[in-house]
Amino acid sequence: MLYTVKEVSELSNVTVKTLHYYHKIGLLMPSKVSEAGYRLYETKQLERLQEILFFRELDFSLDQIKEMLEHDADRLSILSRQEEWMLSRKLRLDTIVQTLRKSIASIRGGKTMDKNEMFKGFENEEAWNKALAEQNEYLKESYGMEPVKVAPADVEELNEQAVEAMTFMNQMAASLREGIKHNDEAVVSRIRCHLEFMNRHGHKISAKDFADQTRFFLSDDFHLKMLEGQQTGLAYYVSAAAEFYMASNP
């Protein structure tokens, strides 16, 4: 079945002007253009438009969306990555909503909210520096590395990265518990999503970089203890998965 640009606009709530622009930049090409000059779309183009809209909800730029869709044409893979990113964002928003609800409940109950609960979900630089203190001390003593200091401008980005890291490791731990092999496509997809997130947030990390990092975790007592404390065998599982991902993405 063919759809006119007006019908696609009505189905998707995307303006005709925007659809024309997507066509102009090569992001969403119509299936065909009639002799009269009308743009016509098929189900395949509707599916691509849905993928574009999910990416827009995740605040990707049009250039980034175009690049990712050109890199990966598998719809299931794209939607799976989008789901993981959405859930990562949802975790942080859920924490903030809970803080908001507790604030409202405190007011209605005529009570003063516990200051330790008041800022859950958007920790400040002081909280981050306190959380990183032990790691900073260890890295300085073991490797002579200068301590990492968090500035106010870094907080929002760090909060998002913390949610992403927690989500990723929780998913990997769940896969390990469920007996999913380290080279399963679901695990490969999770690593791909994680690395794309990191690169999108200014941390240039290749498949090799990630494999090197997970190897370091195996040799470093601090990180090994942290991962193994979450799930026995997790450090080795993540490292094996990273090695496989690197071999598959040279």
Side-chain angles (χ1 to χ4, degrees):
M1 180 176 178
L2 294 174
Y3 303 86
T4 65
V5 70
K6 184 174 183 296
E7 289 172 329
V8 173
S9 175
E10 290 173 349
L11 280 169
S12 63
N13 292 316
V14 175
T15 66
V16 170
K17 183 179 179 180
T18 297
L19 292 171
H20 285 176
Y21 182 67
Y22 287 173
H23 180 191
K24 180 181 178 181
I25 65 174
L27 180 60
L28 180 67
M29 305 298 291
S31 174
K32 62 176 68 175
V33 178
S34 71
E35 292 183 1
Y38 292 109
R39 296 171 174 84
L40 300 173
Y41 300 81
E42 295 180 297
T43 299
K44 186 175 181 180
Q45 284 74 49
L46 295 184
E47 291 175 345
R48 184 176 174 101
L49 178 58
Q50 186 198 46
E51 293 160 9
I52 292 169
L53 294 181
F54 281 137
F55 276 129
R56 292 299 285 160
E57 284 295 318
L58 290 161
D59 299 324
F60 283 94
S61 69
L62 295 180
D63 287 340
Q64 289 173 321
I65 295 171
K66 184 178 179 183
E67 182 179 349
M68 285 187 289
L69 290 178
E70 288 174 352
H71 175 73
D72 190 351
D74 180 62
R75 178 165 165 78
L76 179 58
S77 174
I78 291 168
L79 294 178
S80 296
R81 277 183 289 158
Q82 290 174 330
E83 181 188 27
E84 290 187 12
W85 284 328
M86 289 279 192
L87 289 173
S88 177
R89 175 166 294 187
K90 180 178 179 294
L91 277 173
R92 180 167 181 251
L93 288 176
D94 283 347
T95 301
I96 293 175
V97 168
Q98 288 301 315
T99 301
L100 177 60
R101 287 174 176 167
K102 288 177 182 178
S103 301
I104 293 171
S106 295
I107 294 171
R108 288 175 175 168
K111 300 177 181 178
T112 300
M113 188 174 180
D114 183 345
K115 64 179 184 298
N116 294 318
E117 296 290 326
M118 194 174 290
F119 300 103
K120 292 292 185 182
F122 31 72
E123 282 74 11
N124 59 22
E125 70 276 15
E126 183 180 352
W128 269 107
N129 284 317
K130 184 177 179 181
L132 290 171
E134 182 182 358
Q135 177 174 291
N136 278 335
E137 183 179 354
Y138 174 80
L139 292 176
K140 184 175 182 179
E141 289 181 357
S142 302
Y143 303 101
M145 295 174 62
E146 290 300 314
V148 176
K149 290 291 183 182
V150 176
D154 302 326
V155 171
E156 183 176 354
E157 184 75 12
L158 284 171
N159 285 340
E160 287 193 11
Q161 290 176 23
V163 171
E164 163 63 20
M166 179 182 68
T167 302
F168 173 70
M169 283 302 177
N170 284 344
Q171 290 170 337
M172 294 297 282
S175 294
L176 175 58
R177 287 193 300 271
E178 292 166 11
I180 297 174
K181 292 184 178 180
H182 70 278
N183 57 356
D184 187 271
E185 179 55 37
V187 175
V188 170
S189 177
R190 287 191 186 109
I191 293 177
R192 183 186 303 115
C193 290
H194 180 60
L195 297 189
E196 287 175 351
F197 176 95
M198 297 302 292
N199 279 283
R200 182 161 62 94
H201 285 72
H203 297 277
K204 299 301 181 184
I205 179 168
S206 65
K208 182 181 182 303
D209 294 332
F210 183 61
D212 290 342
Q213 183 185 75
T214 60
R215 264 187 244 116
F216 169 73
F217 290 165
L218 289 178
S219 64
D220 181 77
D221 290 341
F222 181 90
H223 292 90
L224 181 62
K225 182 179 179 181
M226 182 174 62
L227 291 175
E228 291 299 289
Q230 180 178 347
Q231 174 69 42
T232 301
L234 180 59
Y236 301 91
Y237 181 75
V238 173
S239 182
E243 294 287 352
F244 177 79
Y245 185 83
M246 178 183 67
S248 305
N249 295 269

